[in-house]
Amino acid sequence: MAQSELKNGGEFNILQCDLILANGQLNNLRGAVVGLTIFENINQFAITGTITIQDSYNLASYGPIIGQEYLKLKIATPNLKGGENTIDYSSNPLLITAVDDREEIGNGVQATTMSFCSREFVINQRTRVRRTLVGSYSDIVRTMVENDLESDKELYSEPSSDKKKITAPNIKPFDVITIATKNAVSEKFNQSTYFFWESTSGFNFRTLGDMYAQNPVMNYESTAAGTRTENGVRDILSELGAIEAYTITSSPDTVFNYAEGIFSSELIVHDIISKSYQKHIYNYSDNFSEEQHLGTKPLAVNDPDGINVSSFPSKQYLKPTVGVDTDQSFNDEFYQYSYGTNKLKLMQARKSQLSMLESGLQMSINVVGTTVVKAGDIVEIIIPSISAYKTTKNETEDMMYNGNFLIRSLRHDFDIGGEKHTMSMNVTKDAMGK
């Protein structure tokens, strides 16, 4: 368990774990917790997880636990400065959604495993939005979170450009946010690659460019466990940054890249008023330096015949529009399209960059846990070059899988018996080089 000063990697302390039943009864489960897992993912709107307890009172039936309970949770991990970093759901409790498993383990005790999620996820299921929303998409997302989802959690919202006026046709708040992620354009980066997700620090509405611009929160390297300093003292910083295990899970897929239009695509915009059309060609090679990426070099330049991979617009998009250079998402009081912000061609860059997350350089790594690291953060990773034969340069690091990576998903595992917090994360990058 965590102390006031960090002595071992993976230390943690469950400061609070209270289960509040539907009848208002509070049950302190702090001493009964056997295992705890928390999931966060940039493609997942809310936090989810499971908790396993030793139940010697048959609480699941006596309570009963029916999937309508609040879970107040607060977990701390110490830092090197003697302070603490926390995962805090004490004022914004999680919600138990189901009892997954109950198993007798002897002496009148059973192990009960429950699933939980953020309260906002459940509120979303029972809430409908049926009104006109005005403002930038980042403003609309904030309205959904604070008003419709009734959340006072921290929200990091990257400002989007342009004023919008949309009508929500009896849809859920997360559906409105989905519309925003698909259509919002970053005021700073002029790109349409927004994600909305919840990490253990709160909600996030931000683009890939904004995520890529972050400094790494941790440096991870595949090193031997139990590293010590010159004085023979345990090197805690190295222990926190050690990769315990890793697997390379994905590399660029040429067929997928062509099929998804990652390298090049053609957009035909048809104006139904003037009966005219425009063509827009997206070129990955030409646009690479103008876009935000996690590396300095494209993943592909030429095919085996020496032809540039962006020479083939392999995917085609068709998009109707009403008038050229108009934005149909905002009408003034005279029902005129008053905002000339033709962003249609950003659709191709969006499709390319989002697809590259699926066909980029991906790894799964297991590391010592800390509450500092969250989904959507950038981490620096170094893995060794595995080769029986060395080149003249005698590389010690892998030439592709190194540098800054984006954390797409993160799993926190708190092992109560082993008193250790570990993390498994899926990381990706869409370019080569550091």
Side-chain angles (χ1 to χ4, degrees), residues 201-271:
S201 62
F203 289 104
N204 302 269
F205 180 66
R206 58 198 308 190
T207 60
L208 286 176
D210 193 51
M211 288 186 264
Y212 291 167
Q214 301 173 100
N215 292 322
V217 295
M218 284 290 290
N219 300 324
Y220 289 114
E221 186 172 359
S222 183
T223 58
T227 304
R228 296 183 178 272
T229 65
E230 295 179 355
N231 299 326
V233 179
R234 194 168 186 173
D235 192 338
I236 303 300
L237 188 60
S238 295
E239 189 172 330
L240 288 173
I243 299 176
E244 297 183 343
Y246 71 88
T247 303
I248 295 175
T249 57
S250 176
S251 60
D253 184 324
T254 298
V255 174
F256 177 86
N257 291 346
Y258 281 126
E260 293 298 312
I262 289 178
F263 295 143
S264 184
S265 62
E266 179 184 59
L267 168 66
I268 298 177
V269 182
H270 175 232
D271 182 2

Side-chain angles (χ1 to χ4, degrees), residues 2 21 31 35 48 52 63 69 74 88-90 129-130 167 204 304 307 320 341 388 392 395 402 408 414 421:
L21 302 179
T48 60
T52 300
E69 297 75 30
K74 187 173 184 179
D88 191 354
Y89 289 97
S90 57
V129 184
R130 50 178 78 89
T167 300
N204 302 269
I307 302 174
T341 55
T392 54
E395 293 92 348
N402 65 77
R408 294 185 63 188
F414 297 91
H421 171 202

Side-chain angles (χ1 to χ4, degrees), residues 292-343:
Q292 288 70 44
H293 296 278
L294 279 176
T296 57
K297 300 176 183 178
L299 289 177
V301 178
N302 295 325
D303 69 5
D305 298 319
I307 302 174
N308 190 285
V309 293
S310 298
S311 302
F312 316 97
S314 53
K315 191 174 181 68
Q316 188 178 75
Y317 302 99
L318 303 175
K319 180 72 175 179
T321 186
V322 183
V324 179
D325 294 331
T326 60
D327 183 353
Q328 292 90 53
S329 62
F330 187 90
N331 294 348
D332 61 16
E333 64 271 33
F334 303 107
Y335 299 98
Q336 300 297 311
Y337 301 131
S338 56
Y339 287 83
T341 55
N342 185 8
K343 303 293 186 182

Side-chain angles (χ1 to χ4, degrees), residues 277-290:
Y277 68 91
Q278 295 179 348
K279 287 186 178 181
H280 301 281
I281 301 296
Y282 172 77
N283 186 296
Y284 169 75
S285 299
D286 291 345
N287 284 269
F288 182 85
S289 60
E290 299 174 5

